[in-house]
Amino acid sequence: MSDYITTIGLEVHAELHTASKMWCGCKNDPTEKRPNVNICEVCMAHPGTLPVANKEAIKKVIQVGLAVGADIADFTEFDRKNYFYPDLPKGYQITQFTLPIVHDGYLDIVTEGVQKRVTIVRAHLEEDAGKSLHDDFSGFNGEKSSGIDLNRAGTPLLEIVTEPDIRSSAEAAEYARALHTLVVWLGICDGNMQEGSFRCDVNVSVRKPGAALGTRREIKNLNSFKHIVQATDYEINWQIDEIEDGRAIQQATILFNPDTGETRAMRTKEDAHDYRYFPDPDLPPLVIAPEWIEQVRQSMPELPGAMAQRFQAADGLGPEDA
Ligand code: ADP
Ligand code: MG
Ligand code: ZN
């Protein structure tokens, strides 16, 4: 077993903590329990409505980018990712495909005393979908049915993607923890993992030393650091067993069941071309002025890593205490 190398890349979705949604003036309130309270023509996708980008959300993306030492694009645009799902009223998600706002950053993590740099390929701004309610929802005739709550539809979501730099479940959880600390520190995300404000997709593959990268399977929507470790470890062992038994790994999107500790396939993985990405004609390209980036840089608080280093250097604290 031990002669396999594990390769992991993370995609983290962080809901941005803004007053209003990404394209309309509706309140962005993840704590609202009553369904369909914070909705309007725009986030319900009525014909003829047009999105207007939320400047505060873009500022928060710039803050995260600067905090991870990334480049901020001066020219970006928004793309449509087309798919059908009941909680997606437009029939497409507005996202950024070719030109993310943030690219080429990093986050340093310490696992078992060893420091390591995880490369962040990109962080792009997109919108969250609504929610399907399946449990105990009684429909119009009193029959059991499903409901759609669009309160969350059109709320700003930041997707932060790493290189496949990570080598173990412990490193994956540590990276997620470090990123979580950072976005909560910056006040850009409320960090409530239980409620899905910060959720992680973990891409896992295994290979023999010297071999090319293995085929990955993507574990979706892990919402605790413990689940990241459990799901990743289960998946690594599962993949090794498959290969040892002479079966090839198929690229797939999989779900983790915390009750059984197992992962299972949800669907075979779509390729990018299945989504028919194209630039959203309703939104102009986004030009970010260097002066604005500089302004945001000046307004940044001291970051957790820098503060810990300062405590160690100036006050002689050990790493744990710092
Ligand atoms: P998609 O958007 O289709 O999920 P990406 O190319 O953006 O695909 O990759 C998603 C994540 O998968 C990234 O974090 C990347 O580092 C990781 N990844 C890519 N190839 C592998 C691999 N062979 N094994 C493990 N992780 C991988
Ligand atoms: Mg993915
Ligand atoms: Zn709205």
Side-chain angles (χ1 to χ4, degrees):
M1 297 286 270
S2 56
D3 56 344
Y4 281 88
I5 297 171
T6 301
T7 302
I8 300 170
L10 257 70
E11 295 160 273
V12 170
H13 285 93
E15 277 175 7
L16 298 181
H17 187 55
T18 52
S20 57
K21 292 190 184 183
M22 189 60 220
W23 317 113
C24 60
C26 288
K27 213 168 145 191
N28 174 16
D29 180 7
T31 66
E32 177 57 68
K33 292 287 176 268
R34 297 166 299 163
N36 298 312
V37 175
N38 297 319
I39 54 172
C40 73
E41 297 84 347
V42 174
C43 51
M44 286 190 289
H46 286 192
T49 57
L50 287 170
V52 178
N54 180 338
K55 191 173 179 184
E56 188 62 22
I58 295 163
K59 179 183 168 192
K60 286 182 156 50
V61 176
I62 297 173
Q63 287 178 314
V64 175
L66 294 174
V68 297
D71 292 335
I72 311 296
D74 51 4
F75 181 93
T76 76
E77 59 188 10
F78 293 101
D79 300 293
R80 289 185 181 181
K81 178 181 182 177
N82 299 278
Y83 64 94
F84 175 79
Y85 207 73
D87 64 19
L88 186 76
K90 289 196 295 292
Y92 58 85
Q93 177 195 36
I94 304 178
T95 180
Q96 301 191 289
F97 186 50
T98 43
L99 299 171
I101 298 180
V102 171
H103 59 97
D104 298 310
Y106 64 89
L107 202 57
D108 290 329
I109 60 168
V110 180
T111 320
E112 286 157 16
V114 182
Q115 178 164 327
K116 144 160 206 165
R117 179 156 291 188
V118 177
T119 304
I120 292 172
V121 193
R122 55 185 281 154
H124 63 262
L125 184 55
E126 55 187 33
E127 59 179 331
D128 213 343
K131 283 181 188 167
S132 300
L133 308 170
H134 300 299
D135 302 327
D136 300 327
F137 182 82
S138 66
F140 295 110
N141 315 320
E143 287 171 32
K144 206 164 159 39
S145 52
S146 292
I148 305 288
D149 175 9
L150 294 179
N151 285 342
R152 197 179 67 178
T155 57
L157 194 62
L158 181 62
E159 176 172 340
I160 305 153
V161 183
T162 76
E163 286 286 9
D165 282 348
I166 298 167
R167 291 286 167 271
S168 68
S169 60
E171 283 184 9
E174 197 45 47
Y175 166 80
R177 213 175 269 124
L179 188 60
H180 183 266
T181 302
L182 187 65
V183 295
V184 172
W185 182 276
L186 290 170
I188 72 122
C189 175
D190 70 22
N192 189 333
M193 295 179 77
Q194 215 62 50
E195 299 283 337
S197 300
F198 186 95
R199 41 192 205 260
C200 307
D201 301 344
V202 182
N203 294 267
V204 181
S205 67
V206 298
R207 66 184 166 101
K208 287 272 177 72
L213 277 190
T215 303
R216 72 190 156 106
R217 304 214 313 161
E218 178 176 359
I219 316 167
K220 293 300 279 188
N221 283 334
L222 296 169
N223 66 354
S224 84
F225 304 122
K226 193 172 140 206
H227 289 173
I228 291 176
V229 173
Q230 286 176 339
T232 306
D233 283 340
Y234 180 89
E235 181 59 25
I236 293 167
N237 288 323
W238 185 87
Q239 290 189 14
I240 292 173
D241 285 347
E242 285 290 293
I243 294 169
E244 288 291 307
D245 289 348
R247 286 186 290 272
I249 304 295
Q250 305 293 328
Q251 192 169 326
T253 302
I254 61 185
L255 290 178
F256 174 66
N257 181 342
D259 297 325
T260 60
E262 295 176 356
T263 53
R264 69 175 167 79
M266 177 163 87
R267 54 172 191 246
T268 53
K269 173 87 187 156
E270 293 86 355
D271 281 318
H273 64 253
D274 296 330
Y275 290 120
R276 299 182 182 278
Y277 284 97
F278 64 89
D280 193 318
D282 288 345
L283 284 158
L286 180 66
V287 176
I288 301 178
E291 298 79 33
W292 191 26
I293 299 173
E294 218 30 60
Q295 238 177 45
V296 176
R297 197 192 302 278
Q298 300 302 328
S299 72
M300 296 275 286
E302 188 179 15
L303 299 176
M307 191 176 274
Q309 275 176 13
R310 179 163 63 80
F311 288 155
Q312 291 182 58
D315 306 322
L317 294 185
E320 289 296 318
D321 292 330

